[in-house]
Every structure is written in C-alpha cells, then in structure tokens.
Amino acid sequence: MFSTIVSPRFGDIDGLGHVNNTVLPVWFEIGRNSVFRLFSPDLDLSPDVWHLILVRTEFDFLHQMYFRSDVEIRTFITKIGNSSFTVGHEAWQEGELKVKGQAVLVYYDFKLQKAMPLPDPIREILTTHMFPAMDNAETDTDSPCSI
C-alpha cells in the first residue's frame, strides 16, 4: 500500500467548514502518482512511454472531513485484469476512514487508440501492491453513517 499525506488548503473548504467533495478526485489522483511511477518512474507523459488512461472513478463519502488536520491518502491495487487494473483509495483523517473509492485504469496505446494487454513484468509489479478490498460490512454505504 502507498501512503500520501495531504494538507487541506483553505480553498478546499466549503461554506460549512467541510472539505469539499470536489477535492477528493484530485487527492486520489495524487495518491495514484506512486502507481504511475511503476509504469514510468520519471512520469514521462510522452505517448511512447505513457500507457495509462483513466476509464472509471467512484467515491463513497462516509464521514465529514475538516480543515483542522492532515489527511492520509492510502492507495493500493484491488484487481488486475487483462488490460486494466483497479486502484483502491482511502482518505483517513484523525484515525477514521472518511472516504473510500476506486479508479479503473487501462493499459492503452495512444497512437493506435486501443487497449493493450498488461505486460507480464508490470502485472507482477502490480501484484506486489495488491490489497484486499475493504470489508463491505465495515463501510457499507447503505447503512447510516455520521454524515
């Protein structure tokens, strides 16, 4: 699992003093930088080197977050397919899981405009960063939470 600490900025806060929900996609993308480096260590975005495209992202807002303290973004791999993989994300503040989500990335050839199978060496590296999905009973979004 990768861990990144982010500090809420004043501009990240809404009129009620909460971290605005539009901030989490940016924070989770920051968390994915560690995964991106597995594919391109220097984050070279040239089409000859960069082969990732985001095709899906989702969030479950479990509890409110505030300006008062840093947020830990945890990032890990939850699933590896033929040409895609799923990245799990969690935002923790003051020892409590506040937001969870996931993103699906596809290994993609931008010149040919098509998905490609994940190379075996990349698949092996991704496997070392696998982390089981969180128990749904613990963070069931259908159950009442303290929002």
Side-chain angles (χ1 to χ4, degrees), residues 14 17 19 32 37 40 42 44 57 69 79 101 103 110 130 140:
D14 65 19
V19 171
R32 285 195 298 275
R37 287 184 189 285
S40 177
D42 61 356
D44 182 348
T57 187
S69 59
K79 180 180 178 185
F110 286 93
M130 290 280 294
D140 184 356

Side-chain angles (χ1 to χ4, degrees), residues 103-115:
V104 178
L105 293 141
V106 171
Y107 195 73
Y108 192 79
D109 186 315
F110 286 93
K111 290 182 179 179
L112 299 175
Q113 294 290 294
K114 69 177 195 173

Side-chain angles (χ1 to χ4, degrees), residues 11-88:
D12 295 337
I13 308 306
D14 65 19
L16 297 173
H18 307 117
V19 171
N20 191 295
N21 61 358
T22 63
V23 173
L24 271 298
V26 175
W27 288 356
F28 283 179
E29 182 181 38
I30 291 168
R32 285 195 298 275
N33 278 345
S34 297
V35 175
F36 296 157
R37 287 184 189 285
L38 299 174
F39 291 82
S40 177
D42 61 356
L43 298 179
D44 182 348
L45 296 177
S46 67
D48 291 329
V49 176
W50 192 264
H51 293 290
L52 294 176
I53 191 166
L54 179 70
V55 298
R56 177 178 172 78
T57 187
E58 63 182 55
F59 308 88
D60 293 320
F61 296 92
L62 307 171
H63 301 282
Q64 300 170 69
M65 288 190 293
Y66 299 95
F67 183 64
R68 65 180 171 250
S69 59
D70 288 348
V71 177
E72 178 188 13
I73 304 299
R74 297 179 185 177
T75 305
F76 45 91
I77 307 302
T78 62
K79 180 180 178 185
I80 302 171
N82 181 47
S83 62
S84 67
F85 60 99
T86 303
V87 178

Side-chain angles (χ1 to χ4, degrees), residues 132-146:
M134 293 194 58
D135 182 351
N136 288 337
E138 180 183 337
T139 57
D140 184 356
T141 57
D142 292 332
S143 65
C145 65
S146 61

